[in-house]
Amino acid sequence: MTTSRMSLHGQWSSRLAFILAATGSAVGLGNIWKFPYIAGENGGGAFVLVYLVCIAVIGIPVMMAEIMLGRRGRQSPINTMRTLAMDERASGLWRYMGWLGVVAGFLILSYYSVIAGWALSYIFKTAQGTFTGASTQFVTAQFSSLLSSPVRLVAWHSIFMFMTMVVVARGVQSGLEQAVRYLMPALGVILLTLVGYAVIEGDFMQGVHFLFDPDFSKLNGNAILIAMGHAFFTLSLGMGAMMAYGSYLSAHTSIAKTTFIVAAADTAVALLAGLAIFPLVFAEGLQPDAGPGLIFKTLPIAFGSMPGGEEIGTLFFVLLVFAAWTSAISIIEPVVSYLVEQRGVHRGRAALWSGLAAWVVGLGTVFSFNIGSGVTVLGKTFFDLADYLTSNIMLPLGGFLIAVFAAWIMREQSSIDEFDMGDRFAYRLWFYIVRYFSPLGILIIFLHAIGLL
């Protein structure tokens, strides 16, 4: 490395700490229900194979680039891009790439917190036996009742946001690192426990066939585009989180090796979630294609009719909250680190201000499901619009710009120094993939997401 910058926020105490944190950022609500669902509906094992190829060609190279930029800049994404643009004698406009990621992450947290609040509320509902022996109509009515109550949604939204800000306010080692050091192993234990329960009480083999049997007849162009899109989004790319976490990474830690480990762990969690969920769904003769409703409508029915369902169901929603929590602390970190650097704000106060701002914006999502459901922009509620803008426009654009800056704007020597791979072939492979294939893949994802492909 040719730079000697140090982050004023501190750094991870070990490579393991970074791996846990980055994996926690990548593993979120989408891993628990979305990946298993889209894999089963788009060819099972055939889809998984395409997804892994997309991870290799799009996800891992761009993630390496984002972490590399973060470690070289050693600042918040906004200041990192400003500094690196100066280093490379590039336009100062590149700082807006940092702004794009920070704003996208802020918007995502605003509605992510509301949805995580649903999972929080279901921990207590399930533990109290609310769903024991419940009918489909009762479970559906329970979920509808939650969404129609702005007071309850605001309360759970507030609790989750408070949980997130408490961790972020404590800093890198005392807050972020300590949280993931306990939350990620706990998440792994819970997930494996749920898989064990599915083996005993569920139709495990049907779940395995649903996820892994290759059905190439379903592997059409649309399925491939879905695999490409999920490979990009599942690793938390383009929102500044990985760049911020990379800025706390030791200069002696291999970016390539840790990125491969994080990507493998993220994929493993998604597959294990499918093996935990679908055997239970099939055992009860329920539909596996319920999408988001799978969590809050279909699974409670399964838990309510199985031996030990109260305990296992409660554990499942604890898993959901843990996954959401580790993602949320990474999403808001770029905003907090920028306020500390640029405004000289104490970290605790920066976390408070950021959390309050995201909480206020999140009220738009709360009201989208009840008193404000009739208020639309371009035919979309506030929640739908925020989700569309971030997922379909801001994140793909951010990932595209990361690839362009890393492979077209940054001097090769700069990235060579930062990666310090030792293997020239490995570096050239990364360079050409992120220079040509990754931007093309992200462009295709973008065009598909906005309906032009």
Side-chain angles (χ1 to χ4, degrees):
M1 290 177 59
T2 59
T3 62
S4 57
R5 298 186 182 102
M6 294 296 294
S7 171
L8 62 84
H9 309 285
Q11 70 176 36
W12 307 112
S13 64
S14 64
R15 184 177 77 153
L16 177 61
F18 172 75
I19 290 172
L20 290 174
T23 304
S25 176
V27 172
L29 296 176
N31 292 73
I32 309 301
W33 67 266
K34 187 176 182 180
F35 178 76
Y37 163 67
I38 61 176
E41 287 300 297
N42 290 282
F47 178 89
V48 172
L49 181 62
V50 173
Y51 167 79
L52 292 176
V53 172
C54 293
I55 282 283
V57 176
I58 299 174
I60 290 176
V62 175
M63 188 178 185
M64 288 173 60
E66 185 167 353
I67 293 172
M68 181 268 291
L69 295 178
R71 187 166 74 177
R72 193 159 185 85
R74 294 290 187 190
Q75 301 166 85
S76 65
I78 297 168
N79 287 332
T80 280
M81 293 312 303
R82 179 187 288 117
T83 299
L84 294 184
M86 292 174 61
D87 287 350
E88 306 300 331
R89 297 182 176 86
S91 170
L93 293 176
W94 280 102
R95 70 183 183 276
Y96 291 110
M97 186 183 98
W99 275 107
L100 180 67
V102 168
V103 172
F106 179 83
L107 285 175
I108 289 170
L109 178 63
S110 73
Y111 64 77
Y112 201 82
S113 176
V114 176
I115 298 171
W118 301 353
L120 264 176
S121 72
Y122 267 59
I123 291 175
F124 298 96
K125 280 180 178 291
T126 310
Q128 292 167 0
T130 302
F131 302 117
T132 302
S135 65
T136 302
Q137 293 77 10
F138 178 81
V139 173
T140 301
Q142 284 287 310
F143 187 53
S144 298
S145 174
L146 175 65
L147 295 190
S148 65
S149 173
V151 174
R152 290 160 63 193
L153 289 184
V154 168
W156 291 115
H157 169 45
S158 303
I159 292 171
F160 184 81
M161 190 66 75
F162 175 77
M163 290 166 52
T164 301
M165 291 307 108
V166 165
V167 172
V168 176
R170 292 176 58 85
V172 176
Q173 289 193 14
S174 299
L176 306 179
E177 185 172 321
Q178 286 301 312
V180 298
R181 188 179 295 277
Y182 294 104
L183 288 175
M184 292 309 296
L187 188 150
V189 170
I190 293 172
L191 192 52
L192 290 174
T193 301
L194 291 171
V195 172
Y197 180 81
V199 171
I200 297 170
E201 298 293 342
D203 190 340
F204 191 72
M205 291 313 300
Q206 189 173 353
V208 170
H209 292 315
F210 182 75
L211 274 178
F212 297 115
D213 277 359
D215 184 353
F216 291 99
S217 67
K218 293 184 179 179
L219 194 62
N220 52 31
N222 188 60
I224 294 173
L225 289 171
I226 292 172
M228 291 173 65
H230 195 70
F232 177 79
F233 295 121
T234 190
L235 295 177
S236 295
L237 303 177
M239 64 179 71
M242 289 301 170
M243 195 178 294
Y245 276 11
S247 71
Y248 312 142
L249 184 62
S250 165
H252 305 294
T253 300
S254 168
I255 292 175
K257 290 178 182 177
T258 52
T259 301
F260 275 101
I261 293 172
V262 170
D266 179 70
T267 303
V269 168
L271 293 173
L272 286 172
L275 292 176
I277 291 170
F278 289 114
L280 305 183
V281 171
F282 288 126
E284 295 301 311
L286 301 171
Q287 293 301 313
D289 58 353
L294 187 69
I295 292 176
F296 299 105
K297 295 180 181 178
T298 305
L299 280 180
I301 299 172
F303 291 135
S305 59
M306 289 184 161
E310 286 183 21
E311 294 79 10
I312 293 298
T314 302
L315 206 58
F316 174 79
F317 287 109
V318 169
L319 169 71
L320 270 184
V321 171
F322 280 8
W325 199 4
T326 55
S327 293
I329 61 178
S330 72
I331 293 172
I332 198 62
E333 176 63 18
V335 178
V336 174
S337 61
Y338 175 74
L339 290 175
V340 173
E341 293 169 3
Q342 200 69 15
R343 305 298 178 187
V345 180
H346 182 272
R347 188 176 181 88
R349 189 173 298 173
L352 176 62
W353 290 355
S354 303
L356 282 175
W359 180 86
V360 170
V361 176
L363 296 179
T365 293
V366 168
F367 300 144
S368 293
F369 296 102
N370 38 71
I371 60 177
S373 59
V375 179
T376 61
V377 177
L378 301 177
K380 300 180 183 295
T381 64
F382 179 90
F383 167 67
D384 292 334
L385 185 62
D387 183 41
Y388 179 83
L389 288 175
T390 53
S391 299
N392 296 337
I393 297 177
M394 300 175 79
L395 296 188
L397 181 57
F400 179 82
L401 293 174
I402 286 169
V404 169
F405 188 89
W408 290 92
I409 305 300
M410 179 176 277
R411 290 167 294 173
E412 283 191 46
Q413 191 59 49
S414 297
S415 54
I416 288 173
D417 291 341
E418 204 61 48
F419 282 124
D420 193 23
M421 288 181 175
D423 185 342
R424 187 71 178 177
F425 174 77
Y427 172 79
R428 300 308 299 176
L429 179 63
W430 169 84
F431 181 79
Y432 283 114
I433 288 177
V434 86
R435 187 178 177 94
Y436 299 109
F437 293 101
S438 296
L440 178 61
I442 296 171
L443 182 62
I444 292 172
I445 292 168
F446 176 77
L447 294 176
H448 177 248
I450 62 177
L452 295 181
L453 190 64

